[in-house]
Amino acid sequence: QVQLVESGGGLVQAGGSLRLSCAASGHTFSTIGMGWFRQGQGKEREFAAAINWSGGHTYYADSVKGRFTISRDNAKNMVYLQMNSLKPEDTAVYYCNGGYVALVAGVRPGMYWGQGTQVTVSS
């Protein structure tokens, strides 16, 4: 079992930056891949970024590539999402996710979810 708690969301102007954090509890954290998904109002939840168990491989949605950076600290049971050059279309609730599966067609979320943190980017 893995419990996830996100923090770091807020209101920022377009072009600004935010750093999301995800604190994980559970003895399996360091063995599973972690990801961030997001859901805008009236939209389906979509993949944003993922990182494998060791941090050696990362995946990004085309919409965030070059602007967002995912990282993890297994010693602290933490996952981070550094978001730069934010755009209004990045406005969404961001969810930390554990146990994703990388497929040819995309990244399928795992079974562990946090409660989400709101990110709002004003124009």
Side-chain angles (χ1 to χ4, degrees):
Q1 281 283 7
V2 177
Q3 291 79 44
L4 305 172
V5 178
E6 303 96 333
S7 61
L11 174 64
V12 64
Q13 288 188 331
S17 299
L18 279 176
R19 187 196 196 204
L20 304 184
S21 299
C22 174
S25 60
H27 66 282
T28 60
F29 171 78
S30 62
T31 66
I32 64 172
M34 298 295 298
W36 289 92
F37 289 75
R38 65 185 186 181
Q39 187 168 18
Q41 192 170 9
K43 299 179 181 179
E44 293 186 356
R45 193 172 298 188
E46 64 177 9
F47 166 72
I51 187 167
N52 77 328
W53 67 273
S54 69
H57 295 280
T58 56
Y59 309 88
Y60 296 96
D62 288 343
S63 58
V64 308
K65 199 171 295 182
R67 301 186 298 121
F68 290 11
T69 302
I70 188 171
S71 60
R72 68 187 296 162
D73 185 338
N74 285 346
K76 296 181 179 179
N77 277 19
M78 295 291 295
V79 180
Y80 307 98
L81 186 67
Q82 177 67 44
M83 305 185 295
N84 298 328
S85 302
L86 283 162
K87 305 175 181 179
E89 50 263 44
D90 294 319
T91 295
V93 177
Y94 284 71
Y95 296 90
C96 184
N97 176 264
Y100 75 85
V101 176
L103 306 171
V104 172
V107 176
R108 186 178 71 194
M111 63 184 293
Y112 304 112
W113 290 99
Q115 83 288 351
T117 185
Q118 176 71 46
V119 172
T120 302
V121 184
S122 63
S123 57

